[in-house]
Amino acid sequence: MDSKTLTRTISSSDRAQDPCVLVIFGASGDLARRMLLPALYDLAYDRRLPARFAVLGFARSQWDEDEFRRVVKTGIKEFARRSIDEAVWESFSGKLRYMSGNYDDPAAHTRLSSMLDSIDSELGTAGNRLYYLAVPPTTSPTIISKLRNDKISAPVDSDSWSRIVVEKPFGRDLESARELNRLIHSQFPEESVYRIDHYLGKETVQNILVFRFANGVFEPIWNRRYIDHVQITVAESLGVGDRGGYYDQSGALRDMVQNHIMQLLALIAMEPPIAFDGRAVRNEKVKVFNALRRMEPAEVATSTARGQYAAGWIGGEEVPGYTQDAAVDSSSTETYVAMRLFIDNWRWADVPFYVRTGKRLPKRTTQIAIQFRKVPHLLFKDIVDVSDMEPTVLTIRIQPNEGISMKFLTKVPGTPTRIRPAMMDFLYGAAFLNEAPSAYETLLLDALQGDATLFTRADEVEAAWEIMTGVLDGWQQMPSAQFPNYEAGSDGPEEADRLIESDGRQWRRF
Ligand code: NDP
Ligand code: BG6
């Protein structure tokens, strides 16, 4: 394999071929402005978009197309990887369309349908549609029902296709996720449904599979015989910002654990898939979720910890507490979750997976630490303090300082014999000169190309919800949590420390 092959990303990076209209519902929103449209511009810059392509923004905001283009351009200037190149912008903005309307208004959908027809005639987009639901989760069912009722997702001719991208969180519990799947399937076959989890578009997350399965050395020790436990940390220093309306209905478990953390866990724990394609990879992930031990309500109390941040200090700046951020008088919504999970299969029996996520923690870091077992026989116990003999830890840094490091023990030169941890470190920034595409670039391109490998499947999302709905039910049966219970800028609530310390282990430092 030459170096060119090695440096290719896993997902296809060629230009999308099929002509298409991307319809963004919620085009006036935060996700569209900060992520989707900048990512599309970056794809246009790199000539990855189809030659015959258009974006049709749909939202309630009463904008005209000039206003939409102005907002998009400002967003690109701030958030795109590439700077504005007037020639690229000219061509890209010529493909932007906007229409306003209510999501549940049949007349608006009729107008949408005729606008799509006229884009097909004008730009040769051939009836292919990619619908993107960038709206609050509660709005998605209305839009999907309208797509069905108005038949606007029906192929214009036998060669055209319609796909739908649905943002996370996909439902709010197992029952609503099932209901949403039923509704979507009444309109789109599963292979046309792209449930997005942007963590799967991150290069460092995709690299987990390459790291595990392209190197022969790790797989033989990737099991309960050699691994003591796994810690998955997704920490954010930011608070909920202006998303309080959404977040207060959601909380950290629905916002981060059910999707992003569960996906990281599945990639770390899954068996080698028989092929690198959507079906085989997702089959293995579902098996992990099915093997996750369900928690009885009593176990939820001992295996999980919740928190909500109070005012505090981060990076020398005073920051408000959650209720002030979210503009609510009081709230029982968690902004921090920690839990201990077990995967009941031969590979992982009795190996705890500790996961935690929170807002307003000391810094932003997402990392997975694989802690190996201690050596079985302490050869050096008579000459060194054994408490210094920390076990080997492999850390996959998803963000920032993207890379992988291995901490191991080494002899300090000289006499007497002393032992100290040392680090082998791989840094993406130093190893590769080319800048990685953003997660949304990768995922949008995959959806345009019809590659669903990095999207979640119906059974996968339901299996992940099954575990998390058990936790939500357990919390409901417990006495109300005493919130707030951690200061912004601290490491999280004491309950989380007690959770891991009761097993004789400790959280890794941020
Ligand atoms: P926003 O609150 O910014 O909403 C998006 C747009 O949806 C709004 O601009 C609004 O446009 C429209 N909308 C439709 N119905 C409603 C309603 N009842 N209340 C409020 N707005 C409505 O959300 P985001 O863009 O942040 O999120 C959209 C989706 O993307 C969510 O599912 C979110 O979980 C997901 N997501 C967001 C991320 C982010 O960083 N923002 C990251 C990952 C996922 P209008 O009023 O013009 O119709
Ligand atoms: C989103 C959550 O899915 O992920 C946000 O809704 C969170 O609350 C964000 O801040 C984190 O994404 P990233 O890519 O910054 O780690």
Side-chain angles (χ1 to χ4, degrees), residues 34-35 167-169 197-199 202 234-236 238-240 243 246-247 250 254-256 259-260 359 364 366 398-399 439-440:
R34 286 194 310 118
M35 308 283 187
E167 266 295 344
K168 55 130 298 256
D197 181 319
H198 77 278
Y199 266 52
K202 290 180 190 276
V234 183
E236 296 184 277
L238 292 176
V240 294
R243 297 173 68 215
Y246 150 74
Y247 196 89
S250 173
R254 292 185 173 95
D255 189 50
M256 301 293 285
N259 28 70
H260 304 327
K359 298 218 182 263
R364 175 176 184 250
T366 296
I398 303 295
Q399 63 193 23
Y440 277 98

Side-chain angles (χ1 to χ4, degrees), residues 133 140-141 144-145 148 164-166 170 177-190 192-195:
L133 302 188
S140 301
I144 296 163
S145 307
R148 180 183 54 205
I164 187 164
V165 183
V166 188
F170 190 89
R178 280 185 178 145
E179 187 51 44
L180 191 52
N181 273 331
R182 272 195 290 272
L183 181 61
I184 292 175
H185 287 153
S186 68
Q187 178 66 9
F188 294 88
E190 177 61 24
S192 302
V193 184
Y194 292 70
R195 295 174 196 79

Side-chain angles (χ1 to χ4, degrees), residues 339-405:
M339 56 177 80
R340 181 200 302 108
L341 296 162
F342 287 103
I343 300 169
D344 288 332
N345 62 18
W346 275 58
R347 187 189 284 265
W348 296 115
D350 300 326
V351 176
F353 281 71
Y354 300 101
V355 305
R356 62 180 164 161
T357 183
K359 298 218 182 263
R360 289 285 192 224
L361 295 173
K363 63 185 216 199
R364 175 176 184 250
T365 177
T366 296
Q367 54 173 264
I368 301 161
I370 317 286
Q371 180 154 330
F372 289 88
R373 286 189 188 281
K374 290 185 178 148
V375 290
H377 172 63
L378 283 173
L379 188 63
F380 304 104
K381 67 178 181 307
D382 297 332
I383 48 175
V384 296
D385 180 355
V386 289
S387 62
D388 286 347
M389 295 192 55
E390 296 173 42
T392 307
V393 181
L394 177 82
T395 306
I396 300 173
R397 290 188 304 274
I398 303 295
Q399 63 193 23
N401 303 325
E402 290 79 0
I404 299 175
S405 59

Side-chain angles (χ1 to χ4, degrees), residues 25-32 34-35 58-61 98 101 103 133-139 167-169 198 243 246 255 260 440:
F25 291 100
S28 62
D30 181 73
L31 180 75
R34 286 194 310 118
M35 308 283 187
F58 183 105
R60 295 172 307 185
S61 299
Y98 181 82
Y103 299 96
L133 302 188
V135 288
T138 43
T139 313
E167 266 295 344
K168 55 130 298 256
H198 77 278
R243 297 173 68 215
Y246 150 74
D255 189 50
H260 304 327
Y440 277 98

Side-chain angles (χ1 to χ4, degrees), residues 215-440:
N215 297 296
V217 68
F218 300 109
E219 212 35 37
I221 56 169
W222 209 258
N223 56 50
R224 66 189 303 275
R225 180 154 182 213
Y226 298 99
I227 292 176
D228 177 74
H229 74 276
V230 176
Q231 289 191 24
I232 301 179
T233 302
V234 183
E236 296 184 277
S237 54
L238 292 176
V240 294
D242 53 13
R243 297 173 68 215
Y246 150 74
Y247 196 89
D248 204 49
Q249 301 297 313
S250 173
L253 187 124
R254 292 185 173 95
D255 189 50
M256 301 293 285
V257 184
Q258 188 275 339
N259 28 70
H260 304 327
I261 289 189
M262 284 293 106
Q263 289 297 327
L264 296 178
L265 181 139
L267 293 172
I268 290 294
M270 69 194 259
E271 295 300 317
I274 55 164
F276 185 63
D277 61 36
R279 188 160 178 271
V281 171
R282 296 188 294 183
N283 282 349
E284 296 307 330
K285 285 198 284 172
V286 172
K287 286 186 203 162
V288 173
F289 296 143
N290 287 336
L292 270 172
R293 192 180 298 169
R294 273 59 182 156
M295 288 182 215
E296 294 303 322
E299 284 174 304
V300 173
T302 52
S303 300
T304 70
R306 292 176 281 174
Q308 185 192 88
Y309 62 85
W313 292 80
I314 298 184
E317 211 179 292
E318 191 165 17
V319 294
Y322 170 72
T323 46
Q324 198 178 332
D325 269 347
V328 289
D329 291 337
S330 67
S331 171
S332 56
T333 299
E334 80 286 351
T335 60
Y336 180 103
V337 177
M339 56 177 80
R340 181 200 302 108
L341 296 162
F342 287 103
I343 300 169
D344 288 332
N345 62 18
W346 275 58
R347 187 189 284 265
W348 296 115
D350 300 326
V351 176
F353 281 71
Y354 300 101
V355 305
R356 62 180 164 161
T357 183
K359 298 218 182 263
R360 289 285 192 224
L361 295 173
K363 63 185 216 199
R364 175 176 184 250
T365 177
T366 296
Q367 54 173 264
I368 301 161
I370 317 286
Q371 180 154 330
F372 289 88
R373 286 189 188 281
K374 290 185 178 148
V375 290
H377 172 63
L378 283 173
L379 188 63
F380 304 104
K381 67 178 181 307
D382 297 332
I383 48 175
V384 296
D385 180 355
V386 289
S387 62
D388 286 347
M389 295 192 55
E390 296 173 42
T392 307
V393 181
L394 177 82
T395 306
I396 300 173
R397 290 188 304 274
I398 303 295
Q399 63 193 23
N401 303 325
E402 290 79 0
I404 299 175
S405 59
M406 171 88 92
K407 192 176 79 172
F408 58 100
L409 293 174
T410 190
K411 180 180 178 301
V412 179
T415 50
T417 298
R418 281 182 299 139
I419 292 179
R420 214 181 64 186
M423 201 72 111
M424 282 198 289
D425 213 357
F426 154 68
L427 266 172
Y428 277 85
F432 301 111
L433 295 178
N434 49 335
E435 199 189 348
S438 71
Y440 277 98

